[in-house]
Amino acid sequence: MMYQSVSLRVLWLYKPSFLWTVLFCIGASVLTQAQNLYTSSSSEVKFFSSTPLEDIEAINKASQSMLNGVTKEIAVKVPVKSFVFPKSLMQEHFNENYMESDKYPYAIFKGKINEAIDFTKPGTYDVSATGKLNIHGVERDQTLKGKLTVQSGKALLDAAFDVLLVDHKIKVPEVVFAKIAEKIAVTTHFVYVPYEKKAQ
């Protein structure tokens, strides 16, 4: 059981180039045998900013997540540069001026689901996860709420929450301040499947 509680914590300390390798080496065999580790097979993270002058929306389909069905640990890593905007200039400003994505390439949530979930029983559950949300290099305590749907062979997790720019020291130039909301609405959708170790 020690490996099950340690693996997700250690996983996110390493660079993404060997993100999965670290997990496999530490304890994937134990987790896989128990069929308790789930990995995202697809993802969608959206954010929406609404002001009287302009609405801004972006979507990201390159995020990764892992979920431990026994310890209830969950970890999400969102590559900031993978957000796609309807206008290329918006995307450029987002990465260079606001998020400084070269310096802070990922948004990360590491936490634990608070409710007891039976991953062997199909159903839809109201869930919350308490942990640390790191955006723009600033980490904050957060409890995020959503719905977890367990289906045959997979699980779907949907969540919606707000991010305050000031909480993560994201500065908006005064010249465009009226176009960017101080509170950003975020929605996420992850599809999880049991992790299966690939043949060497």
Side-chain angles (χ1 to χ4, degrees):
M1 294 297 293
M2 178 182 70
Y3 288 114
Q4 293 173 332
S5 63
V6 171
S7 60
L8 287 182
R9 295 193 191 100
V10 174
L11 172 65
W12 301 97
L13 298 179
Y14 291 82
K15 294 181 179 179
S17 59
F18 48 97
L19 189 65
W20 303 108
T21 303
V22 172
L23 174 67
F24 300 161
C25 292
I26 293 176
S29 60
V30 175
L31 293 167
T32 303
Q33 289 171 8
Q35 294 184 338
N36 294 321
L37 182 66
Y38 296 81
T39 182
S40 57
S41 61
S42 64
S43 66
E44 185 174 278
V45 178
K46 292 182 179 180
F47 76 75
F48 182 73
S49 165
S50 180
T51 70
L53 292 182
E54 188 172 16
D55 290 341
I56 299 173
E57 186 174 25
I59 185 170
N60 186 323
K61 294 187 177 182
S63 303
Q64 296 176 315
S65 180
M66 301 193 87
L67 172 62
N68 188 311
V70 171
T71 66
K72 299 185 293 182
E73 289 176 286
I74 183 170
V76 178
K77 177 170 279 189
V78 181
V80 177
K81 283 188 175 181
S82 293
F83 278 101
V84 178
F85 291 72
K87 298 178 182 178
S88 59
L89 187 58
M90 286 183 180
Q91 193 159 326
E92 181 180 331
H93 287 322
F94 171 79
N95 285 298
E96 295 182 4
N97 300 333
Y98 312 142
M99 295 299 290
E100 301 177 278
S101 53
D102 283 336
K103 186 176 182 180
Y104 308 109
Y106 296 97
I108 296 172
F109 177 77
K110 296 180 292 183
K112 192 170 184 178
I113 294 175
N114 297 309
E115 294 76 18
I117 304 296
D118 185 350
F119 284 87
T120 66
K121 185 180 297 184
T124 299
Y125 308 86
D126 290 320
V127 294
S128 61
T130 299
K132 304 285 187 180
L133 178 63
N134 190 315
I135 300 175
H136 194 237
V138 179
E139 191 172 75
R140 304 275 299 189
D141 293 327
Q142 285 279 8
T143 295
L144 307 180
K145 296 182 179 181
K147 285 189 179 293
L148 180 69
T149 300
V150 178
Q151 299 178 349
S152 177
K154 62 181 179 181
L156 286 66
L157 180 60
D158 292 278
F161 55 95
D162 293 329
V163 173
L164 295 176
L165 300 187
V166 66
D167 283 350
H168 296 277
K169 298 183 180 179
I170 300 171
K171 297 180 180 179
V172 178
E174 290 184 10
V175 66
V176 295
F177 188 79
K179 294 183 179 181
I180 306 294
E182 297 180 53
K183 182 169 67 175
I184 308 298
V186 180
T187 58
T188 67
H189 175 74
F190 286 89
V191 177
Y192 296 90
V193 295
Y195 164 73
E196 294 183 5
K197 188 175 182 180
K198 295 180 180 179
Q200 298 295 322

